[in-house]
Amino acid sequence: MRLRHIEIFHAIYTTGSITNAAKMLHVSQPSVSKVLSHAELQLGFNLFERVKGRLIPTDEAEMLFDEVDKIYQQMRAIKNTAENIKKSEFGAISLGVTPALGFDAIPGVIADYHRDFPNVTFDIQTLHNDAVLQALLEHKCDLAVLFSPNSMPGISTKTLSQSELVIVYPKEKFPDCPDKLTLNQVCEDEFIDISDSGPLGDMLWARIMEENITFNASIKVQTYFIAARLVARGLGICVVDRFTAQGNLADNVAIASFDPPLTFTVSAVHLENRSLSKVTEEFLPYLSKGISST
């Protein structure tokens, strides 16, 4: 029996007539009759007998129905799953994110998305810019969100938002808590240096060179949030991205933008030759909105 035979047989068996089966399947009565006749011809025996205007299953049909019903239920499950995929109710999103976005931005985005699509699963890992290409190629993630990613062959980039580098400083240094500062205003303070910090570090270094500033740096770290925590301990000032600064605020520290500002893009990247899943495509607007509002 073909799948169409099974569908027609099941509909007639459960509804008792060709008319009802046609209504249930949203097809014409002649097409139901034609498929039934073809099914019986293929099988070599009758499935129904007409008795007082109703179709009564034959003994052969009764023996066949239990097996047919199992397949029919599987067909319904496939149909329902396909509909759910179409509606983005099921699926999986594999996401790589730069660590700074893990404090508030990405958790907020996922919370908003998860409220609308609770059956979509997430696999989230933190990535640095220099590791993203390998992670995408090895299927460790399908989509990555990074700060100022370099142009790479075979990688598609979508700008989600802009952010900035900021100065995190002790409030006792500037009691009036200015929201803008220049490097000259903080160059005499102990500077917590962040080594090997990728494109943002390059951006800061270019500004330092441009303004011919020299810092006293006796503490060097590799992670932005550690630098912000050290400032809260009164050990100097640091320059980090705004996401990290806002995610590690303390009562005794404040945040200031650069004057003039040092801005960078927040972008989503994925492999050009590997299309994103439907749920991942529909996750992107949530991502863009959530990161822009953080």
Side-chain angles (χ1 to χ4, degrees), residues 8-58:
I8 293 296
F9 170 56
H10 193 278
I12 298 172
Y13 187 100
T14 54
T15 64
S17 74
I18 287 176
T19 301
N20 291 337
K23 288 179 180 177
M24 186 178 79
L25 297 174
H26 306 290
V27 296
S28 67
Q29 293 182 41
S31 66
V32 173
S33 297
K34 183 177 179 180
V35 174
L36 174 60
S37 297
H38 190 264
E40 291 176 328
L41 182 64
Q42 291 284 102
L43 290 168
F45 53 81
N46 291 335
L47 292 170
F48 298 95
E49 295 176 352
R50 189 175 293 279
V51 179
K52 295 181 181 180
R54 287 184 60 84
L55 291 180
I56 304 300
T58 62

Side-chain angles (χ1 to χ4, degrees), residues 26-266:
H26 306 290
V27 296
S28 67
Q29 293 182 41
S31 66
V32 173
S33 297
K34 183 177 179 180
V35 174
L36 174 60
S37 297
H38 190 264
E40 291 176 328
L41 182 64
Q42 291 284 102
L43 290 168
F45 53 81
N46 291 335
L47 292 170
F48 298 95
E49 295 176 352
R50 189 175 293 279
V51 179
K52 295 181 181 180
R54 287 184 60 84
L55 291 180
I56 304 300
T58 62
D59 290 344
E60 291 82 1
E62 294 286 3
M63 289 187 287
L64 193 62
F65 182 75
D66 284 346
E67 296 303 319
V68 165
D69 189 54
K70 292 176 186 176
I71 297 173
Y72 180 79
Q73 297 305 327
Q74 290 177 333
M75 290 167 60
R76 285 188 60 185
I78 292 169
K79 182 180 179 181
N80 290 338
T81 300
E83 286 295 321
N84 288 332
I85 292 172
K86 182 180 178 181
K87 296 174 184 175
S88 299
E89 291 183 5
F90 287 88
I93 296 174
S94 179
L95 188 65
V97 298
T98 193
L101 295 174
F103 293 109
D104 293 305
I106 292 298
V109 170
I110 292 174
D112 290 342
Y113 183 84
H114 197 63
R115 277 192 290 270
D116 293 339
F117 303 101
N119 295 316
V120 175
T121 62
F122 280 87
D123 181 3
I124 306 164
Q125 59 179 300
T126 55
L127 286 175
H128 294 283
N129 285 41
D130 58 358
V132 65
L133 180 58
Q134 196 66 23
L136 291 171
L137 290 172
E138 293 178 0
H139 298 270
K140 291 180 179 178
C141 63
D142 300 320
L143 184 74
V145 187
L146 306 169
F147 295 157
S148 290
N150 294 324
S151 178
M152 294 175 281
I155 298 294
S156 178
T157 302
K158 175 182 173 60
T159 299
L160 301 173
S161 181
Q162 282 207 330
S163 189
E164 62 176 339
L165 286 175
V166 294
I167 300 169
V168 182
Y169 63 91
K171 288 181 179 177
E172 63 180 19
K173 168 70 178 175
F174 299 101
D176 56 339
C177 294
D179 58 8
K180 289 184 180 181
L181 287 170
T182 65
L183 287 176
N184 271 315
Q185 290 175 278
V186 295
C187 65
E188 293 182 2
D189 293 272
E190 179 71 25
F191 183 66
I192 300 166
D193 190 12
I194 304 170
S195 61
D196 302 324
S197 52
L200 302 193
D202 294 342
M203 186 188 307
L204 174 61
W205 179 250
R207 175 64 63 86
I208 290 173
M209 295 297 291
E210 178 185 329
E211 299 187 5
N212 195 26
I213 301 293
T214 300
F215 278 108
N216 175 34
S218 60
I219 300 176
K220 182 178 287 189
V221 299
Q222 291 186 328
T223 307
Y224 277 25
F225 81 85
I226 295 178
R229 297 290 176 85
L230 290 172
V231 175
R233 294 287 184 174
L235 295 176
I237 64 108
C238 72
V239 174
V240 298
D241 63 276
R242 182 168 284 278
F243 295 100
T244 297
Q246 291 177 334
N248 292 275
L249 280 178
D251 291 339
N252 61 333
V253 302
I255 301 170
S257 299
F258 276 84
D259 187 17
L262 276 175
T263 60
F264 58 88
T265 61
V266 185

